[in-house]
Structures are given as structure tokens and as C-alpha cells.
Amino acid sequence: MTAPLGEFDLIARYFTRPPRRAVLGVGDDCALLAAPAPNERLAISSDMLVEGRHFFADADPEALGHKTLAVNLSDLAAIGAKPLAFTLAMALPEADARWLAGFSRGLLDLADRHDIELIGGDTTRGPRNLCVTVLGTVPQGLALLRSGARPGDDLWVSGTVGDARLALGHRLGEWALDAHDQTATLRRMDRPEPRIALGLALRGLAHAALDVSDGLLADLGHILRASAVGATVEADALPASEALRALTPSRRRLCQLAGGDDYELLFTAPATACRAVEAAAARAATPITRIGHIDVEPGLRLIDAQGRVLDNAYAGFDHFRPSSSPP
């Protein structure tokens, strides 16, 4: 019989690597990092994923490892920061070697792709709860903030939006998807791609940015409040996958406007910089779509392709509102 894994065996076997950039990595009371250059600022963000609230109990561990880091890398992308290091704190119901092998593989494969180093964290027994803190660097004065939107800016979004909510609706029995659409949309929900390259390319071009995690309109509201501006969003201009285009307009708008978990970048930039923005996105190999503009008058206006005003009753995800719909 295989001996049960202890806390320090678990850390050593699945999460310890020789430090690369860190002065001191996993295994001591603290990690040690060299201070950033004088003209750089340190960007720090934390996100927690809780079983039953952010992911299903039967989630594939490798996909979950990917997503646990991806949602945090997305925060670095949103501010235009280059990934540097991260910590991982976990509560686990048991030290399951098979689960840990898959989870660590998904986590560290994505870390390698973005050259970000695991430098420490914590483990304990309890309901499954995964918390990552990421650190990145951004040159002084070039961080993409929520407070920078200006009247006349174009409003852009990367990739497509709504697929994660479409996949969630299938899992919850709200609608049924065929096998092809299940595969495509479930991958978008389970393995989001952080837009690091685009965030870096937009430094010095975009005025404001964030990542779409709780729903496009809800997240746009954060930019509008921080910048004291309004916006007009063209609902029918939102980029949609083939699976979303097959839905009725009302369901498509629900997924695209209120659905979370897309982790695409929503950003504003001067209308005069349109070609430069498109060139930056091309260098980052990331599709982008103009979906509206920033207004002087506060408030959010939603219009269709004919310019008709639509009712805006699309609420995003809220961790403390019982009607929110993630698992």
C-alpha cells in the first residue's frame, strides 16, 4: 500500500522547482525576489477559486490547474504587466496523488508558457479552495488603469465573448449543445487564455482596460465609474463564436452581455489610434473588435445594429448575490 502523502511531501513532489529568477523560492518561510528596476512598478493581484462557487466538483484537475493560474494572469494582462512570479495557497479535502499530478501539470505548463515562477504558498486540509497571488512588472506610467477612459475613446474587446456562459448554461441544463459546440465552449470555460501579449502591446496606446470576468456590462461599469464617463455599446457588434451565433438574439445577448469567465480584455483607446491599436493586436496575434465608444454623459447605453436603444437588464456575476449562476 502506498504511504499517504504529507503536506511537505505534497509540496516537494508536485510544486517544487529550482528557482530561476527568484533569489529564494519554495521551501522557506518566505520567498526572496530581487527588487524591480527603479523605473518599474510591481503589479500584484490575488484570485480565489472555491469548489461549488467557481468550479464544479468533477472538474478535470489538469484544466483546473490551468484555470487557477490563468484567471490571475488575466489580471496582469489587464494592467499591461509582464508576469514575474506567483504563490499558491490550497485547501484540499485529501492529498490525492492522481488529482495533484493533473492539477500541478496544468498549472505549471501554463506557468512555463508565460515564464512565471512558482515561489511559495501554503497547503491545508479543508473544502477545496485554490488561491493564487501573482506578481508582475510594468514600466512607470504605462500601467493600464480602469480610471483612464476618456470621452471619444473607442471601446474594444479581444477574442469572442459569451462562450463560457454558454457552456455553463449547458452544464446547468438551461439549454442543450451538440457535441461539437460542447467541446468548443467547455474549453473556453475550463481553459481560458490570458491575453498577456495583448496587454503588453497596448501599453502606451490604450487609455483604460480590465478583463471580463463577471460579465461584459458589469465589468465595463467599473471603468465608467472609475473614469467618471459613460459609454454606448453596440450589442450586435459583439464578437461571437459559431455556437453563439446559432442562438436566439435574447439568449446570445444574455451570454455575451451578462456572462462571466471570458477573461478577454475590454479596453478603450483614442479613435485616432485605431490603426495603431489594430497593429498592436496583430503583433500580439489576438483578434479584437470595436464594440462602442466612451461618452461624456455618465451612464451605459445599449443599442442594436439599427441604433435602437435596448433595455439594459443584464446583471453580471456577484459572489454575494444568490441568483448569480456559476456552479
Side-chain angles (χ1 to χ4, degrees):
M1 178 181 293
T2 304
L5 280 172
E7 176 184 2
F8 299 106
D9 296 327
L10 180 162
I11 294 168
R13 182 179 300 182
Y14 297 106
F15 300 104
T16 300
R17 290 170 151 188
R20 301 194 309 273
R21 289 187 299 271
V23 178
L24 180 66
V26 175
D28 217 301
D29 290 306
C30 291
L32 297 176
L33 296 174
N39 65 335
E40 290 190 329
R41 294 294 179 261
L42 199 59
I44 304 171
S45 181
S46 291
D47 264 308
M48 183 185 304
L49 299 184
V50 178
E51 184 176 298
R53 190 59 172 163
H54 301 99
F55 60 92
F56 292 99
D58 63 353
D60 173 71
E62 184 171 345
L64 185 57
H66 172 104
K67 186 169 185 175
T68 299
L69 181 57
V71 303
N72 286 272
L73 286 174
S74 186
D75 285 334
L76 293 182
I79 205 167
K82 181 179 179 180
L84 176 64
F86 71 103
T87 65
L88 170 67
M90 301 187 298
L92 302 173
E94 59 182 341
D96 181 329
R98 183 174 179 180
W99 188 94
L100 285 161
F103 178 84
S104 62
R105 183 167 56 250
L107 181 93
L108 296 176
D109 282 353
L110 184 63
D112 288 343
R113 280 175 48 199
H114 291 281
D115 193 26
I116 187 170
E117 185 174 12
L118 177 59
I119 58 171
D122 191 24
T123 58
T124 190
R125 180 185 290 273
R128 189 168 280 120
N129 184 330
L130 310 164
C131 184
V132 163
T133 296
V134 286
L135 298 93
T137 58
V138 60
Q140 182 177 353
L142 290 183
L144 306 176
L145 306 179
R146 297 179 179 187
S147 57
R150 303 171 190 173
D153 279 0
D154 285 334
L155 181 63
W156 301 81
V157 71
S158 66
T160 60
V161 290
D163 282 325
R165 179 63 180 87
L166 182 57
L168 178 62
H170 174 79
R171 285 294 308 264
L172 296 176
E174 295 176 348
W175 46 68
L177 300 176
D178 63 29
H180 176 269
D181 288 344
Q182 284 183 50
T183 300
T185 59
L186 286 170
R187 183 171 182 84
R188 289 295 307 277
M189 182 175 75
D190 294 339
R191 291 179 177 267
E193 283 299 319
R195 300 300 194 179
I196 293 292
L198 179 61
L200 297 176
L202 289 174
R203 294 193 307 206
L205 283 175
H207 281 160
L210 49 62
D211 65 332
V212 179
S213 57
D214 295 330
L216 188 142
L217 293 189
D219 287 322
L220 174 58
H222 300 318
I223 288 179
L224 303 188
R225 285 187 291 275
S227 300
V229 294
T232 298
V233 175
E234 302 164 20
D236 295 328
L238 295 176
S241 66
E242 181 181 339
L244 277 167
R245 288 195 297 270
L247 296 181
T248 62
S250 61
R251 283 187 171 178
R252 184 174 69 248
R253 286 172 182 162
L254 169 68
C255 291
Q256 293 198 290
L257 296 170
D261 257 13
D262 288 310
Y263 298 100
E264 296 292 351
L265 293 192
L266 180 67
F267 64 95
T268 80
T272 54
C274 178
R275 290 188 178 179
V277 168
E278 290 174 335
R283 291 195 301 274
T286 306
I288 59 171
T289 304
R290 182 191 174 279
I291 62 167
H293 58 268
I294 299 298
D295 302 322
V296 174
E297 182 183 352
L300 200 160
R301 287 158 289 280
L302 195 62
I303 62 174
D304 66 11
Q306 286 71 46
R308 295 175 299 209
V309 177
L310 300 172
D311 180 40
N312 179 11
Y314 298 98
F317 177 63
D318 186 322
H319 294 86
F320 293 95
R321 196 179 67 244
S323 60
S324 290
S325 57

